[in-house]
Amino acid sequence: MPFSPFLCLKPWLRAVAASGALALALLHPVAAQEGGAAPQWLDQSLAGATLAGEGQMRFFGLRIYDAWLWVSPGFEASRFGAHPLALELTYHRAFTGAAIAQRSVEEMQRQASVPPTQAQRWQQRLAEVLPDVQPGDRLTGLYQPGQGMRLWRGNQELAMIDDAELARLFFGIWLAPQTSEPALRSALLARSPGATAP
């Protein structure tokens, strides 16, 4: 992997930082449009999508990634798992897909009790579809309630995961009340009804 100043951090610090960077590695890379208009490709997959909020993940002052949350009409923050949505991440640091997968599952376990064998299966599945990322890479994930999720890197679709519970907990990394980054959650849900609801 090419050199990155982020990799100079001690391994435990890298792991903590990767936790925020990880889960959304599954998301489709698309630039947020000026004025809050959804990109054209997104409107085709998420009818009537609007920008619910945007935020930035930082770790000890280092910029890890920027995030945008797109939601469909009727979205309620307190019931995020019941609504289709899309999360975009633009990375500013390099991470391996395997590291993103590992940290994602650790973050998912903050929300629910996941048996070790299930956690291992989910980590393997995520590691299969999450790419290594470099600064400037954009990943986008489309959450489909009761079905699973679709993942893109730029305009290239990476995979579809047809596991509804994995998908719900994955997007919960950013949107669940148990998130390890409550400030980022608040920023992503800033324009949504029920944004302050637990």
Side-chain angles (χ1 to χ4, degrees), residues 8-181:
C8 295
L9 296 175
K10 292 181 179 180
W12 69 271
L13 289 177
R14 291 200 310 267
V16 173
S19 72
L22 82 114
L24 267 201
L26 306 175
L27 306 181
H28 171 67
V30 175
Q33 306 296 300
E34 292 294 327
Q40 185 175 7
W41 70 264
L42 180 58
D43 201 42
Q44 296 170 357
S45 299
L46 191 65
T50 58
L51 184 64
E54 56 191 287
Q56 191 172 91
M57 172 66 182
R58 286 185 175 268
F59 184 74
F60 286 118
L62 295 176
R63 191 176 173 192
I64 307 302
Y65 60 76
D66 297 329
W68 294 266
L69 177 65
W70 299 92
V71 299
S72 56
F75 176 82
E76 297 176 61
S78 61
R79 300 179 62 246
F80 77 88
H83 303 277
L85 54 87
L87 182 64
E88 298 180 49
L89 301 182
T90 297
Y91 286 86
H92 299 287
R93 305 286 166 184
F95 296 97
T96 66
I100 293 172
Q102 178 181 349
R103 187 59 194 173
S104 294
V105 171
E106 291 171 2
E107 288 294 311
M108 290 159 66
Q109 290 174 309
R110 295 175 61 93
Q111 305 166 56
S113 176
V114 180
T117 54
Q118 178 77 309
Q120 184 178 18
R121 282 196 300 271
W122 284 352
Q123 184 173 331
Q124 289 174 346
R125 180 62 179 132
L126 291 173
E128 290 171 2
V129 300
L130 291 173
D132 296 346
V133 296
Q134 298 296 325
D137 283 350
R138 288 180 157 246
L139 299 180
T140 302
L142 175 66
Y143 172 64
Q144 300 170 302
Q147 300 176 46
M149 62 185 183
R150 294 168 60 193
L151 309 171
W152 287 263
R153 179 177 190 163
N155 291 322
Q156 177 187 6
E157 186 165 4
L158 297 175
M160 175 180 237
I161 297 180
D162 60 353
D163 185 322
E165 185 66 2
L166 182 159
R168 184 182 66 81
L169 293 175
F170 180 79
F171 283 85
I173 292 170
W174 294 271
L175 303 177
Q178 301 89 346
T179 180
S180 63
E181 296 296 330

